[in-house]
Amino acid sequence: MFKIRYSPYKLNMKHVFRIARGSRISTPLILTAIQFEDVVGYGEASMPPLYGETQETAIRFISKVDLSGFNDPLDIEGIMNYVDGIDIGNSAAKASIDIALHDLAGKIAGKPCYKLLNLSGVKSISTSRTISIDTPGIIKERVLEAKDFQFLKLKLGSDNDIEIVKAVREVSNQPLFVDANQGWKDKNLALENIDWLKEQDVIFIEQPMPVDMEDEMAWLKSKSPLPIVGDEGVQRLKDVEKAVDFYHGINIKLVKSTGLNEGLKMAKLAKKLDLKVMLGCMSETSCAISAAFHLASLADWIDLDGNLGITNNPYKGIETIGGKLINNDIPGIGLVNPESYWDGV
Ligand code: MG
């Protein structure tokens, strides 16, 4: 018998997080726990307001999940097909079920998730550290705090992009990922920006233009001297094939993909289509970050730092040391004593 529990949680951030489309200081979450016999797996839904899900919609969705028709906790594909069919949307809520099921199945099988998924896994891997939009002075401070990281991910798409990049370059030579979060609305200006950024040791540009500007995006892809990665424009498996028209790569996030089951399919299809794979995240606890780590061997670029900018992480899991996520080979997604949070719920 499966038993599902959930707990609303407000994740507080160390600093105001500002991107082209708004800013916030906290992120609403739902933490989940799925028990089968005496084993418990843990999951999480992170719901930044821009994506449309809330704690209320997630609770409503999770309350509808009835696993009484299932008796094999290793049948994640079957269970997730059922969960996905309950309602459209609700990707983060679905991911919270998927992640908990993977944690549960890994613990039952005695395997870390990457082995459960028949992936080779990695011992350790570099993640970028995200620097959100701010004044040049504060940006320089944040960059200096991130000197251990091999890559920085800069949020651009603001009115002073050039000033931001120059501020970074005054204090750092670290190669950059750039995420414009749809902030560039003119294709010629976008190309001009990318041409300039290429000279600043930028590796790729994430979501330069609004997702509905399809003709402009296709044009920009054909001209861009740097790879373009789709994030807001690539949510789920059904979006991957079309991504080839606009992007050189895709950013897979478990909250968008409904978790590891579909995220893995997205990564495999992307590779088949010769698309680069980036693994991304939201502001998240170590639960969702640890889960995503298990897909690392399929990724070209890793941006799994959402647990580093928060002040109240309820979990300890895959740790980031010296800018690298370090495998701990714990069965499941890799959390250490996660039940201590739930004792207080
Ligand atoms: Mg992005």
Side-chain angles (χ1 to χ4, degrees):
M1 277 281 281
F2 289 94
K3 184 181 162 199
I4 303 179
R5 287 176 291 159
Y6 56 81
S7 168
Y9 195 81
K10 186 173 126 186
L11 202 59
N12 297 320
M13 345 245 315
K14 275 183 200 152
H15 308 298
V16 175
F17 184 76
R18 198 173 285 111
I19 64 170
R21 293 176 299 150
S23 64
R24 61 179 195 274
I25 189 70
S26 68
T27 305
L29 306 183
I30 294 289
L31 303 177
T32 55
I34 302 183
Q35 184 162 354
F36 185 82
E37 289 166 0
D38 58 350
V39 185
V40 187
Y42 298 90
E44 164 180 1
S46 171
M47 292 162 295
L50 290 167
Y51 283 79
E53 288 181 73
T54 63
Q55 288 177 329
E56 290 70 32
T57 65
I59 289 171
R60 210 178 305 139
F61 183 84
I62 294 166
S63 304
K64 287 187 217 161
V65 177
D66 173 9
L67 300 184
S68 60
F70 295 91
N71 49 29
D72 179 5
L74 301 184
D75 178 23
I76 295 176
E77 175 78 21
I79 298 174
M80 286 311 296
N81 276 338
Y82 152 73
V83 168
D84 197 27
I86 292 174
D87 202 349
I88 57 163
N90 295 284
S91 295
K94 290 171 184 174
S96 76
I97 302 288
D98 169 285
I99 294 168
L101 287 172
H102 279 85
D103 194 34
L104 179 70
K107 285 170 178 167
I108 289 170
K111 293 177 180 174
C113 269
Y114 71 89
K115 284 189 183 158
L116 192 72
L117 299 170
N118 292 315
L119 296 172
S120 53
V122 295
K123 275 206 172 81
S124 69
I125 198 157
S126 293
T127 175
S128 58
R129 187 76 180 93
T130 300
I131 309 286
S132 74
I133 294 172
D134 224 307
T135 61
I138 290 181
I139 284 181
K140 282 191 230 176
E141 268 176 46
R142 302 276 183 271
V143 170
L144 291 172
E145 287 164 13
K147 61 179 183 321
D148 283 354
F149 291 78
Q150 187 181 351
F151 308 103
L152 301 176
K153 175 166 146 170
L154 280 195
K155 293 289 196 180
L156 295 184
S158 71
D159 294 333
N160 42 356
D161 287 349
I162 289 180
E163 196 188 359
I164 288 172
V165 176
K166 284 185 171 164
V168 172
R169 281 293 170 248
E170 275 179 42
V171 292
S172 161
N173 294 318
Q174 286 150 292
L176 306 175
F177 304 166
V178 159
D179 187 356
N181 286 112
Q182 314 185 67
W184 300 335
K185 311 273 172 13
D186 176 285
K187 67 178 184 182
N188 291 302
L189 187 69
L191 183 59
E192 225 173 84
N193 288 341
I194 297 172
D195 281 335
W196 183 76
L197 288 167
K198 180 160 181 352
E199 305 308 313
Q200 307 298 319
D201 202 5
V202 169
I203 296 172
F204 64 81
I205 311 286
E206 200 181 322
Q207 204 65 60
M209 301 190 73
V211 297
D212 55 0
M213 294 182 73
E214 295 198 336
D215 293 344
E216 291 86 347
M217 282 292 309
W219 178 87
L220 190 63
K221 184 194 171 191
S222 73
K223 304 272 185 207
S224 175
L226 290 175
I228 294 177
V229 175
D231 180 8
E232 289 89 336
V234 185
Q235 303 281 329
R236 295 194 55 178
L237 183 62
K238 64 173 174 45
D239 304 318
V240 177
E241 208 140 333
K242 198 160 183 259
V244 176
D245 296 344
F246 315 116
Y247 310 109
H248 303 94
I250 63 169
N251 185 349
I252 298 172
K253 295 177 178 170
L254 299 188
V255 286
K256 297 189 296 175
S257 72
T258 69
L260 286 161
N261 189 55
E262 189 163 319
L264 174 60
K265 292 178 190 172
M266 290 176 74
K268 285 181 172 170
L269 179 57
K271 290 203 155 315
K272 212 161 94 186
L273 297 169
D274 225 3
L275 287 164
K276 296 278 190 192
V277 171
M278 173 182 181
L279 270 186
C281 63
M282 301 294 179
S283 301
E284 293 170 349
T285 77
S286 289
C287 176
I289 295 292
S290 298
F293 169 78
H294 294 274
L295 299 182
S297 64
L298 296 171
D300 297 280
W301 301 304
I302 305 272
D303 176 37
L304 294 177
D305 67 340
N307 58 334
L308 304 180
I310 59 177
T311 58
N312 58 341
N313 193 343
Y315 294 126
K316 193 166 142 48
I318 299 292
E319 285 194 88
T320 305
I321 300 171
K324 288 184 169 181
L325 294 143
I326 313 290
N327 186 12
N328 63 17
D329 263 333
I330 292 174
I333 59 175
L335 294 180
V336 182
N337 300 326
E339 58 284 352
S340 57
Y341 168 77
W342 290 87
D343 286 346
V345 172

